[in-house]
Amino acid sequence: MNTERVVRVWDPMVRLFHWSLVLAFTVAYLTEDDWLSLHTWAGYTIIGLVAFRLLWGVVGSRYARFADFVRGPRPVAEYLKQIVGGHPPRFLGHNPAGGAMVIALLIALLATTATGLAVYGAGEFSGPLAGLLAGVGPVWAEVFEEVHEFFANFTLFLVVLHVAGVLLASIQHRENLVRAMVTGLKKVD
């Protein structure tokens, strides 16, 4: 008889946000130079998704709220030491390192999209910043583009770290965290 108890940790809005962001960032990253219209719409989608997540982090379900998983540097560092030691405690929601990664990714995505809007306004004379940046000249347009590419690549680096952290936590805690982000369910110890 299976007596394992499961609890819904990730609500449908968190899961929809997560997988939509995966899709939108992938499209934006892969279309950077070739399909400007698709790249732009993927960027706008990311802005909307991040805005939603910021709101949902305040008013959403228990495990979606920033208050549930955002910790200071000391608990994050302590948790990272426990990971290296091979015996980190298990959390139903985000662990301290995962919470820090959520914040880092949101900041990186905001920086990427803000600089993308600057590139679009200064280089293409389009978008919401066009009126403000259309006359800055090609040098500034190039600067914005370089900064945008840096933040896009930095965000990709964070994504790789995030996936590695998810895989490591899945192994250390013997649970499939990817499946949990699909179903929303996690086993209760």
Side-chain angles (χ1 to χ4, degrees), residues 51-115:
F52 162 77
R53 186 61 182 96
L54 292 173
L55 176 65
W56 202 244
V58 176
V59 302
S61 63
R62 173 184 174 187
Y63 296 107
R65 291 185 189 156
F66 297 129
D68 184 68
F69 63 84
V70 175
R71 302 288 179 261
R74 189 168 294 161
V76 172
E78 181 60 34
Y79 190 80
L80 291 172
K81 287 179 193 172
Q82 292 169 328
I83 289 173
V84 172
H87 301 290
R90 181 177 178 261
F91 288 77
L92 273 180
H94 288 98
N95 62 51
M101 181 56 75
V102 168
I103 299 305
L105 281 165
L106 290 173
I107 291 169
L109 287 163
L110 284 172
T112 303
T113 54
T115 56

Side-chain angles (χ1 to χ4, degrees), residues 131-148:
L132 183 65
L133 299 174
V136 299
V139 171
W140 277 105
E142 182 65 28
V143 168
F144 292 144
E145 186 167 348
E146 291 298 320
V147 174
H148 178 63

Side-chain angles (χ1 to χ4, degrees), residues 14-175:
V14 167
R15 297 186 334 257
L16 181 62
F17 158 80
H18 180 271
W19 295 113
S20 297
L21 185 60
V22 168
L23 179 62
F25 182 78
T26 301
V27 168
Y29 196 86
L30 294 177
T31 61
E32 58 144 335
D33 287 329
D34 299 320
W35 294 299
L36 182 60
S37 181
L38 184 57
H39 180 81
T40 302
W41 279 107
Y44 283 141
T45 300
I46 292 168
I47 292 169
L49 288 167
V50 169
F52 162 77
R53 186 61 182 96
L54 292 173
L55 176 65
W56 202 244
V58 176
V59 302
S61 63
R62 173 184 174 187
Y63 296 107
R65 291 185 189 156
F66 297 129
D68 184 68
F69 63 84
V70 175
R71 302 288 179 261
R74 189 168 294 161
V76 172
E78 181 60 34
Y79 190 80
L80 291 172
K81 287 179 193 172
Q82 292 169 328
I83 289 173
V84 172
H87 301 290
R90 181 177 178 261
F91 288 77
L92 273 180
H94 288 98
N95 62 51
M101 181 56 75
V102 168
I103 299 305
L105 281 165
L106 290 173
I107 291 169
L109 287 163
L110 284 172
T112 303
T113 54
T115 56
L117 289 173
V119 170
Y120 200 44
E124 300 295 323
F125 314 113
S126 296
L129 300 181
L132 183 65
L133 299 174
V136 299
V139 171
W140 277 105
E142 182 65 28
V143 168
F144 292 144
E145 186 167 348
E146 291 298 320
V147 174
H148 178 63
E149 286 180 15
F150 167 81
F151 279 116
N153 289 323
F154 180 69
T155 302
L156 181 61
F157 170 73
L158 291 177
V159 167
V160 170
L161 282 181
H162 169 62
V163 170
V166 166
L167 294 176
L168 179 60
S170 291
I171 291 166
Q172 286 185 323
H173 299 297
R174 293 180 175 87
E175 67 180 329

